Amino acid sequence: MSQASNAQQVEYWNGPAGERWAAAQDRIDHHLGLITEVLMAFAAPKPAERVLDIGCGGGTTALLLRERVGPHGAVTGIDISAPNLAVAQARAHAAMADVAFIEGDASAYEFQPMFNLAFSRFGVMFFADPVAAFANIREALAPNGRLAFVCWRTFKENEWAFAPYSGARDLLPPQEPMDPHAPGPFAFAEGERVRSILEQAGFADVVVKPHDTTVNLGAGVDDAVTEALTIGPLARAAAELDEAARRKIREAISPVLARYATPYGITPPAAIWLINAKVQQQNQ
Ligand SMILES: C[S@@+](CC[C@H](N)C(=O)[O-])C[C@H]1O[C@@H](n2cnc3c(N)ncnc32)[C@H](O)[C@@H]1O
């Protein structure tokens, strides 16, 4: 059932948006540099562990995890997006890294209970039925296995997305009101809701930790504007607009993004949840 109801996400991540994401992976990794460091420290993969990277996209974190677990460990990435997996496979090949990639839906894939760590960088907010999805992911974990992932807090707290969207709002086509829990980047904005989802899915000792940081949208305003029109809510809302309309948006959001200029680039605030949990043991 979960698989059927994720069909919209399968279409989305295999369509133009998935292609855009795949082509921008190096830049996205640059944006997410600080978050990735914090997440790796939080998830703490150890030598010889077996790790599952959920919604692994272009494989960045799968390759980092591969280095951490060393020659006696193993890493598997799972994703529904063929264009992103093609990037992941090419990068693993170039790095001569032994990582297995599965094209599949993490909410329905029939996993063996072999992983010590189920990990994700922003790949778990897209499930139509999150409780069922995490119950299935739990099936991938060995006894004493753990889950660790990062997701966004609210749209407003994430100025990297909210500020350019607000700056362009009057130039966008009318937007449907969004169900705040619908699959999408901000579906897990309410930390207590995520805790409840994980507990219902059979996880225990759930930790939901807020972390404030920044993302790096690029060296200068032009790069940041291009990024805002490539990924995130503004990119989704502006996807169908013609060049003239996009030019107006570029002009409107340039001064907005210029406010976040630092010597390191355009670095607006980002607000994330770091979440981990353990498999609930049967005698608990
Ligand atoms: C925001 S991207 C993050 C990609 C990658 N983790 C990164 O940080 O670069 C979300 C990813 O989750 C994947 N995804 C969405 N729903 C999924 C599902 N049900 N099973 C597996 N992957 C899924 C998408 O295809 C996409 O690659």
Side-chain angles (χ1 to χ4, degrees):
M1 190 189 96
S2 286
Q3 209 163 20
S5 49
N6 283 332
Q8 221 179 342
Q9 291 296 321
V10 173
E11 194 184 329
Y12 178 82
W13 289 103
N14 284 286
E19 298 278 357
R20 265 202 313 275
W21 183 282
Q25 188 68 53
D26 288 341
R27 298 203 315 272
I28 290 166
D29 291 338
H30 183 64
H31 295 177
L32 300 179
L34 290 180
I35 292 175
T36 306
E37 268 178 38
V38 168
L39 172 62
M40 293 302 282
F42 181 76
K46 296 178 198 60
E49 284 194 321
R50 289 184 300 275
V51 185
L52 176 66
D53 188 347
I54 303 155
C56 64
T60 312
T61 49
L63 290 172
L64 288 174
L65 290 162
R66 188 74 199 82
E67 283 172 22
R68 297 292 186 93
V69 299
H72 302 297
V75 176
T76 299
I78 182 165
D79 205 290
I80 50 172
S81 169
N84 280 295
L85 285 171
V87 171
Q89 255 142 1
R91 285 168 147 197
H93 184 73
M96 291 194 281
D98 179 17
V99 178
F101 290 106
I102 299 170
E103 185 175 341
D105 181 342
S107 70
Y109 190 82
E110 288 187 24
F111 294 110
Q112 295 303 309
M114 57 175 280
F115 294 99
N116 307 107
L117 170 64
F119 170 103
S120 187
R121 184 179 81 171
F122 301 118
V124 290
M125 305 88 81
F126 305 94
F127 303 130
D129 183 343
V131 172
F134 280 102
N136 191 58
I137 288 165
R138 195 200 58 212
E139 298 289 324
L141 288 168
N144 299 320
R146 67 195 190 282
L147 170 72
F149 65 85
V150 66
C151 57
W152 301 111
R153 294 191 348 244
T154 61
F155 185 25
K156 271 197 181 162
E157 287 171 290
N158 278 289
E159 283 184 45
W160 65 269
F162 188 71
Y165 184 89
S166 304
R169 196 179 340 238
D170 294 345
L171 301 167
L172 293 170
Q175 300 295 302
E176 294 282 324
M178 270 282 287
D179 167 0
H181 299 163
F186 300 102
F188 281 3
E190 295 161 34
E192 286 312 304
R193 176 170 172 265
V194 184
R195 181 193 300 283
S196 157
I197 288 169
L198 295 180
E199 287 173 352
Q200 289 175 66
F203 285 94
D205 298 336
V206 180
V207 172
V208 178
K209 190 175 162 204
H211 180 78
D212 295 322
T213 182
T214 56
V215 297
N216 192 329
L217 292 183
V221 172
D222 283 352
D223 295 331
V225 168
T226 301
E227 280 318 283
L229 281 164
T230 304
I231 58 153
L234 174 57
R236 287 185 190 213
E240 307 293 318
L241 297 180
D242 62 19
E243 251 332 291
R246 292 170 76 82
R247 203 172 316 117
K248 282 191 190 146
I249 291 178
R250 294 185 79 90
E251 284 162 16
I253 67 173
S254 290
V256 174
L257 288 168
R259 282 189 225 135
Y260 303 106
T262 69
Y264 315 104
I266 307 293
T267 61
I272 56 174
W273 296 117
L274 291 165
I275 296 188
N276 68 24
K278 294 185 184 141
V279 174
Q280 196 167 30
Q281 299 303 306
Q282 243 132 43
N283 58 1
Q284 269 185 336

